[in-house]
């Protein structure tokens, strides 16, 4: 079939783009290699965090933010340093204006709502002009990821009912149709129908071929996080050697195929070495996809040790500098590290990424939400503590270290209980006064001056060896593959560019496949809440630009 616009990828960026194109009265063919049950893509599984600047939620919590401060933080984190950063820089400026301007009100008009406590993610590398958020900016959607997807799915399905949007699920694009230097359609393979649950691996059995034409094609197919071979191939030397083993934060169908397909048609891929992988991954004890990893979103109090038992130096504390910590850990030569903490810390400071791991927020359940301020860990966290293979619980340091050694890799030196006890005792002595030279203890005390952290995210400072705070807990942390920060280079309309900087007619991109804007608007580092927001902004931008372009 023919349509005014073809959109490749039915994740959140694709839904936003489709809604905007159809709102303008244009027809859309929305194709995706997965089944309809995966509509919304990775946004569905997310915590629904959004980067906002100077929001009412921030102001109610006493947070003073501004566009100027956000720009300082963004560019201090991005560290743009290449000639190819022209369009990423421009997208960063545009996105900051959006996040400080109409982003919240635009979403609010569609029924989107925000949890009142703003999170403080990526607290930074310790420099005012360096990486990190100077203030809390991580706004969690009331309803988490599904709450982000819902308003756009409603819009798109309404357009489908009206005949302006047609879904083509199980359609895998294998190539772009290029005529006279312009992209005029897509061709590929129809895969057999699937009834597997959302996120589960689906069949790749081909049953037919297809070719569809349009005035424009928007690629919104996501990144490479589910393809660990591609991740390792793009892994930059500045982050050390790629890990032999990672856990996967996304399903296998997040495979990066469309990056190569678009490049074959003449689109320019930039900054493939810029990527975002977490260092607090744990294996899901009840997995949805193969090698399914969940990220711990930690408060600042856990003692962080490398696989050999060495305490990580400042500023590599939980929740501060993701890629700096990754770089440090890769230099150790081992694929995992450890948190050592107490029951008191896990109860207040452990949150888990993913909509399915936060049933209170996802289900908008106020009664269940109140459990977060009562004694005891949240139910999903407690379930990981009881069932997760990466968790060790013990009453003494000696028992704890024995358990850590039982699940350690064979090529890692056994941890010494006396050495671990010494590290813990040295840390604990720094709590005798309200002042200290220990940078992590200072960070904990500083965090609790923020009302949101004191309320639900940072435990009162205490000795790890205080029996009243126990038992002791150790958590083995894996590297968790997640986001692509580079991608298809686009101008501020979302039009794909060629290697010489000229526009590739007919081809647009949005979402993770174009580094969330321009080919990498976050540069080398992300500030969190910028992935979903980047999909929303770039999908909207491309959708509106295409709608204005096609007749």
């Amino acid at each position: 079939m023919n349509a005014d616009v073809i959109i490749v990828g039915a994740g959140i960026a694709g839904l936003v783009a489709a809604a905007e194109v159809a709102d303008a009265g244009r027809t859309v063919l929305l194709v995706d290699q997965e089944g309809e049950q995966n509509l919304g893509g990775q946004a569905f599984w997310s915590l629904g965090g959004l980067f906002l600047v100077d929001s009412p939620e921030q102001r109610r919590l006493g947070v003073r933010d501004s566009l100027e401060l956000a720009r300082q933080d963004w560019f201090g984190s991005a560290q743009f340093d290449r000639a190819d950063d022209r369009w990423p820089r421009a997208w960063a400026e545009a996105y900051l204006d959006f996040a400080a301007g109409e982003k919240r009100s635009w979403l609010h008009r569609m029924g989107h709502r925000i949890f009142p406590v703003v999170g403080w993610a990526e607290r930074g590398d310790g420099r005012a002009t360096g990486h990190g958020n100077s203030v809390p900016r991580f706004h969690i959607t009331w309803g988490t990821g599904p709450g982000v997807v819902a308003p756009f799915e409603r819009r798109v399905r309404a357009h489908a009912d009206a005949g302006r949007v047609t879904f083509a699920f199980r359609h895998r694009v294998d190539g772009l149709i290029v005529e006279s230097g312009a992209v005029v359609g897509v061709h590929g393979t129809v895969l057999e129908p699937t009834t597997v649950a959302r996120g589960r691996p689906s069949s790749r059995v081909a049953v037919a071929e297809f070719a569809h034409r349009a005035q424009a094609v928007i690629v919104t197919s996501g990144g490479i996080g589910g393809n660990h071979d591609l991740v390792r191939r793009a892994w930059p030397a500045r982050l050390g050697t790629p890990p032999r083993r990672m856990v996967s934060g996304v399903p296998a169908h997040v495979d990066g195929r469309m990056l190569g397909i678009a490049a074959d048609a003449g689109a320019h891929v930039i900054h493939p070495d810029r990527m975002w992988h977490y260092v607090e991954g744990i294996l899901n004890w009840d997995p949805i996809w193969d090698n399914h990893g969940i990220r711990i979103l930690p408060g600042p109090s856990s003692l962080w040790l490398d696989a050999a038992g060495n305490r990580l130096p400042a500023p590599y504390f939980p929740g501060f500098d993701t890629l700096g910590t990754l770089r440090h850990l890769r230099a150790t030569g081992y694929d995992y590290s450890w948190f050592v903490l107490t029951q008191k810390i896990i109860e207040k400071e452990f949150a888990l990424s993913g909509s399915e791991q936060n049933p209170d927020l996802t289900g908008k359940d106020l009664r269940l939400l109140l459990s977060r301020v009562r004694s005891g860990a949240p139910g999903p966290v407690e379930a990981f503590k009881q069932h997760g293979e990466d968790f060790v619980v013990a009453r003494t340091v000696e028992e704890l270290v024995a358990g850590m050694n039982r699940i350690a890799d064979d090529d890692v030196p056994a941890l010494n209980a006396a050495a671990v006890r010494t590290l813990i005792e040295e840390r604990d002595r720094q709590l005798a006064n309200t002042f200290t030279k220990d940078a992590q203890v200072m960070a904990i005390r500083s965090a609790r001056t923020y009302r949101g952290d004191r309320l639900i995210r940072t435990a009162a400072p205490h000795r790890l060896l205080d029996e009243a705070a126990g038992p002791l807990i150790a958590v083995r942390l894996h590297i968790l593959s997640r986001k692509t920060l580079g991608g298809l280079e686009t101008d501020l309309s979302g039009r794909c560019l060629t290697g010489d900087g000229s526009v590739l007619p007919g081809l647009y991109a949005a979402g993770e496949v174009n580094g969330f804007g321009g080919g990498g608007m976050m540069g080398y580092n992300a500030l969190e809440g910028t992935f979903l927001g980047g999909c929303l902004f770039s999908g909207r931008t491309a959708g509106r630009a295409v709608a204005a372009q096609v007749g």
Side-chain angles (χ1 to χ4, degrees):
M1 73 170 282
N2 294 337
D4 293 328
V5 180
I6 295 172
I7 298 176
V8 182
I12 188 64
L15 286 176
V16 175
E20 294 292 336
V21 172
D23 280 354
R26 312 293 188 240
T27 58
V28 177
L29 177 63
L30 183 57
V31 305
D32 196 288
Q33 66 180 344
E34 297 305 310
E36 186 172 0
Q37 58 269 46
N38 280 287
L39 190 66
Q42 299 321 297
F44 178 90
W45 297 113
S46 75
L47 190 57
L50 295 170
F51 178 93
L52 295 172
V53 178
D54 193 25
S55 69
E57 290 77 18
Q58 286 175 299
R59 293 194 292 272
R60 280 194 288 268
L61 290 166
V63 175
R64 298 175 182 175
D65 199 6
S66 67
L67 178 57
E68 293 74 22
L69 182 60
R71 182 179 288 112
Q72 174 181 314
D73 288 347
W74 190 289
F75 281 85
S77 298
Q79 301 169 25
F80 294 122
D81 62 356
R82 298 174 182 172
D84 279 345
D85 282 325
R86 173 197 172 191
W87 289 110
R89 282 178 180 271
W91 271 88
E93 291 281 7
Y95 180 73
L96 284 165
D97 288 340
F98 177 63
E102 65 171 315
K103 180 179 179 180
R104 184 184 182 280
S105 60
W106 175 63
L107 291 168
H108 193 273
R109 288 194 297 271
M110 288 182 274
H112 178 272
R113 296 296 182 267
I114 294 170
F115 182 64
V117 179
V118 182
W120 196 350
E122 286 298 295
R123 300 178 190 226
D125 63 10
R127 298 175 297 147
T129 57
H131 168 60
N133 285 296
S134 298
V135 298
R137 297 192 178 103
F138 190 76
H139 295 68
I140 297 174
T141 297
W142 185 234
T144 67
V148 177
V149 173
F152 298 100
E153 182 177 349
R154 281 196 300 269
R155 289 171 63 189
V156 171
R157 288 196 182 279
H159 284 305
D161 291 342
R164 286 183 291 273
V165 172
T166 300
F167 296 111
F169 296 108
R170 302 298 284 160
H171 281 57
R172 184 185 69 200
V173 173
D174 297 327
L176 299 175
I177 301 171
V178 181
E179 294 178 356
S180 302
V183 174
V184 297
V186 300
H187 66 86
T189 304
V190 180
L191 305 175
E192 69 177 353
T194 180
T195 59
V196 299
R198 178 189 288 268
R200 293 295 304 159
S202 62
S203 167
R204 289 297 180 262
V205 173
V207 296
E209 295 180 347
F210 70 88
H212 300 303
R213 302 174 71 87
Q215 296 180 58
V217 174
I218 307 176
V219 178
T220 59
S221 55
I224 68 172
N227 187 332
H228 288 184
D229 289 337
L230 272 182
V231 170
R232 291 187 181 95
R233 200 177 308 157
W235 193 275
R238 66 179 177 276
L239 294 179
T241 58
R244 291 167 298 174
R245 185 188 179 208
M246 295 176 275
V247 295
S248 188
V250 293
H253 61 252
V254 184
D255 55 17
R257 291 181 72 252
M258 284 305 301
L259 281 166
I261 289 169
D264 288 343
H268 190 212
V269 177
I270 60 174
H271 311 312
D273 62 310
R274 293 179 182 172
M275 53 184 64
W276 189 258
H277 306 300
Y278 292 109
V279 283
E280 311 99 340
I282 51 177
L283 275 167
N284 193 343
W285 66 273
D286 187 19
I288 295 168
W289 53 81
D290 293 342
N291 195 30
H292 185 181
I294 295 291
R295 185 201 173 198
I296 296 170
L297 289 81
S301 299
S302 296
L303 187 67
W304 206 335
L305 309 180
D306 66 24
N310 303 297
R311 186 180 180 185
L312 270 60
Y316 306 136
F317 309 136
F320 275 65
D321 183 355
T322 293
L323 292 191
T325 306
L326 175 60
R327 182 172 57 251
H328 175 85
L329 290 174
R330 292 311 305 142
T332 70
Y334 304 118
D335 287 349
Y336 64 90
S337 60
W338 296 98
F339 277 167
V340 174
L341 59 146
T342 63
Q343 179 67 23
K344 186 174 181 180
I345 291 172
I346 204 172
E347 289 180 1
K348 192 148 189 176
E349 297 197 8
F350 268 37
L352 301 173
S353 65
S355 54
E356 82 283 7
Q357 300 298 331
N358 295 273
D360 51 351
L361 295 168
T362 302
K364 304 179 183 179
D365 188 328
L366 291 172
R367 182 175 298 178
L368 188 57
L369 181 67
L370 288 175
S371 67
R372 292 183 182 248
V373 295
R374 298 180 183 138
S375 61
V381 173
E382 190 63 32
F384 265 90
K385 195 183 84 174
Q386 293 180 14
H387 304 296
E389 65 180 74
D390 296 311
F391 284 71
V392 179
V393 182
R395 281 290 171 187
T396 69
V397 173
E398 289 69 27
E399 292 173 358
L400 188 77
V401 171
M404 294 163 75
N405 283 330
R406 278 195 296 272
I407 64 173
D409 285 353
D410 293 338
D411 62 344
V412 178
L415 296 170
N416 180 278
V420 173
R421 176 177 285 278
T422 295
L423 284 174
I424 295 173
E425 290 175 343
E426 289 170 346
R427 179 262 189 199
D428 282 359
R429 291 189 193 105
Q430 297 295 314
L431 291 163
N433 298 286
T434 56
F435 43 88
T436 177
K437 70 176 183 180
D438 188 289
Q440 184 176 6
V441 175
M442 283 191 278
I444 295 166
R445 295 195 189 281
S446 174
R448 284 178 59 82
T449 65
Y450 166 52
R451 196 180 311 158
D453 272 0
R454 190 180 186 91
L455 180 64
I456 63 170
R457 283 295 284 151
T458 304
H462 62 276
R463 294 182 300 108
L464 297 181
L465 295 182
D466 181 354
E467 291 185 2
L472 290 167
I473 302 165
V475 186
R476 180 177 54 182
L477 306 171
H478 308 271
I479 294 169
L480 177 78
S481 67
R482 188 58 69 87
K483 296 298 182 185
T484 309
L485 298 187
L488 297 172
E489 186 179 20
T490 59
D491 65 12
L492 283 177
S493 296
R495 298 182 299 178
C496 287
L497 306 178
T498 66
D500 64 8
S502 61
V503 171
L504 178 57
L507 188 64
Y508 294 71
E512 189 175 352
V513 75
N514 82 316
F516 304 90
M521 72 175 186
M522 286 166 257
Y524 288 96
N525 289 286
L527 289 176
E528 294 290 14
T530 53
F531 303 131
L532 271 180
C535 287
L536 298 177
F537 182 57
S538 60
R540 189 180 86 151
T541 297
R544 291 181 177 182
V546 168
Q549 180 66 32
V550 302

